[in-house]
Amino acid sequence: MLRIGADMQRGEARRRGAALVAILMGVLLVSGCGAGTEENAGPATGGDGAAAAGAGEPDGPAEEGDASPDLRVDQRAIIYTGSMRVQVPDVEQAARKAIALTTTAGGFVGSDQRRSAAGNATAELTLRVPAAKFATVVEQVAELGKRQRQEISTEDVTEAVIDLDARITTQRARVENARRLLGEAQSISDLVSLENELARREADLASLEAKQRRLADLTALSSVIVSLVGPDAATEDDASAFGFVAGLEGGWKVFLFSWTVLLTVLGAILPWLLLLGVPLGALVWLLRRRPRPALVAPPADGTGRGPTDPAGGGVAPPTVNPPPQAPGARSAP
């Protein structure tokens, strides 16, 4: 009986110990959940403060490991460039329409080069178009004729713009600090050194601002080079052809071009030939028709040669016989 009572007391003590352990574990769990909630609330508040501080100081150095902001496409700085070749029936009319489309879209013409040669006329236009209307203007220009070639390229400069803005803000602060120190200079040497430093910082700031304006211009206005060609203009495939047939065609074109140049030169000098050649030809013809005096041949001996000069051994000059004397008057008988 004593043993049974002792076993019962031990079982009751074990149950009490297990209940006490369960109560302690519940208290610890409740305490851990409360602490975790307070810890989560604390860092979140600190994070909001850091974000507010970061918003107040946008030009401060970024922490290592921070990623660049994920901007939407319409918020990114993108440079659009393109080139196209369009064959049109009338180059002059198509060029006027392309310029009108550009100005209507809010852009302007950067350059205009034209060459008129009937069916081989060409016009090369550099159009500056707002980036938002770039695709629309390109399609409208392509509808002016037959599109033979088109190349469009883009360049995302969003990170460069953000970095440039931060560098400009920092450089402006450096310039202001240099100006403040320059006003507090106490000696000539300090004044000279601060003036040199201020000039260097202002030059760096001007260079950064020039780059910023250049990027702003490229992102605000896109560029497209439009080549308008006439109906008889050779295609780019024909221009880059090789082989016997291509060489024969090239030689024939050179032959025709040479004759064209020769006829052009002949047409240029023909008036001068008529003006000077006709009088000179008439003068030569008159001189040739003028009679010449006859030459008296020397008398020849039996051998066909003149008499021999006994002194010199050569042919003696011909002797001139005196004229015959007139017969005297007869005396009367």
Side-chain angles (χ1 to χ4, degrees), residues 212-280:
Q212 185 184 43
R213 289 191 298 269
R214 177 62 176 168
L215 279 178
D217 177 71
L218 293 176
T219 54
L221 294 173
S222 303
S223 300
V224 55
I225 300 175
V226 180
S227 298
L228 302 174
V229 297
D232 297 338
T235 61
E236 295 182 352
D237 295 337
D238 297 338
S240 60
F242 294 95
F244 176 77
V245 177
L248 184 60
E249 292 179 356
W252 178 250
K253 291 179 180 179
V254 172
F255 176 74
L256 294 179
F257 180 75
S258 301
W259 271 105
T260 303
V261 173
L262 181 60
L263 293 176
T264 303
V265 174
L266 181 60
I269 65 175
L270 184 59
W272 296 96
L273 292 177
L274 294 177
L275 182 63
L276 300 177
V278 173
L280 291 177

Side-chain angles (χ1 to χ4, degrees), residues 31-45:
S31 300
C33 292
T37 305
E38 293 178 357
E39 289 177 359
N40 293 334
T45 304

Side-chain angles (χ1 to χ4, degrees), residues 60-315:
E63 295 182 0
E64 184 178 1
D66 291 346
S68 59
D70 186 13
L71 301 177
R72 296 193 303 270
V73 175
D74 56 349
Q75 295 179 345
R76 304 190 72 83
I78 300 176
I79 299 175
Y80 295 91
T81 56
S83 63
M84 58 190 308
R85 177 186 171 99
V86 183
Q87 189 175 26
V88 295
D90 190 346
V91 174
E92 295 295 330
Q93 183 179 2
R96 289 194 295 269
K97 290 183 179 180
I99 294 174
L101 292 173
T102 303
T103 54
T104 303
F108 62 93
V109 180
S111 65
D112 187 348
Q113 299 178 1
R114 305 187 190 186
R115 183 179 63 86
S116 298
N120 291 328
T122 60
E124 187 169 345
L125 308 175
T126 301
L127 307 180
R128 300 297 307 278
V129 186
K133 299 181 180 180
F134 176 77
T136 303
V137 173
V138 168
E139 292 300 325
Q140 291 176 350
V141 172
E143 293 176 357
L144 297 177
K146 180 181 179 181
R147 178 165 43 190
Q148 295 181 344
R149 175 179 55 83
Q150 177 176 323
E151 297 177 359
I152 303 296
S153 61
T154 60
E155 181 181 2
D156 191 350
V157 293
T158 306
E159 296 182 358
V161 170
I162 295 175
D163 178 70
L164 194 58
D165 292 341
R167 292 174 60 186
I168 289 176
T169 303
T170 304
Q171 192 65 23
R172 285 175 179 171
R174 296 184 62 190
V175 169
E176 293 298 328
N177 291 335
R179 290 175 179 173
R180 179 177 56 80
L181 294 175
L182 183 63
E184 299 175 357
Q186 301 295 332
S187 62
I188 299 299
S189 60
D190 294 343
L191 183 63
V192 172
S193 62
L194 288 174
E195 285 180 348
N196 294 333
E197 181 64 20
L198 178 60
R200 186 180 64 81
R201 293 184 180 184
E202 288 179 343
D204 294 341
L205 178 60
S207 177
L208 292 175
E209 289 176 345
K211 293 180 180 179
Q212 185 184 43
R213 289 191 298 269
R214 177 62 176 168
L215 279 178
D217 177 71
L218 293 176
T219 54
L221 294 173
S222 303
S223 300
V224 55
I225 300 175
V226 180
S227 298
L228 302 174
V229 297
D232 297 338
T235 61
E236 295 182 352
D237 295 337
D238 297 338
S240 60
F242 294 95
F244 176 77
V245 177
L248 184 60
E249 292 179 356
W252 178 250
K253 291 179 180 179
V254 172
F255 176 74
L256 294 179
F257 180 75
S258 301
W259 271 105
T260 303
V261 173
L262 181 60
L263 293 176
T264 303
V265 174
L266 181 60
I269 65 175
L270 184 59
W272 296 96
L273 292 177
L274 294 177
L275 182 63
L276 300 177
V278 173
L280 291 177
L283 181 60
V284 171
W285 182 76
L286 290 175
L287 292 176
R288 291 177 63 88
R289 292 294 300 270
R290 183 178 178 181
R292 297 181 181 179
L295 300 178
V296 179
D301 55 2
T303 59
R305 293 179 300 177
T308 304
D309 186 5
V315 178

Side-chain angles (χ1 to χ4, degrees), residues 43-63:
T45 304
D48 294 341
E57 299 177 358
D59 301 320
E63 295 182 0

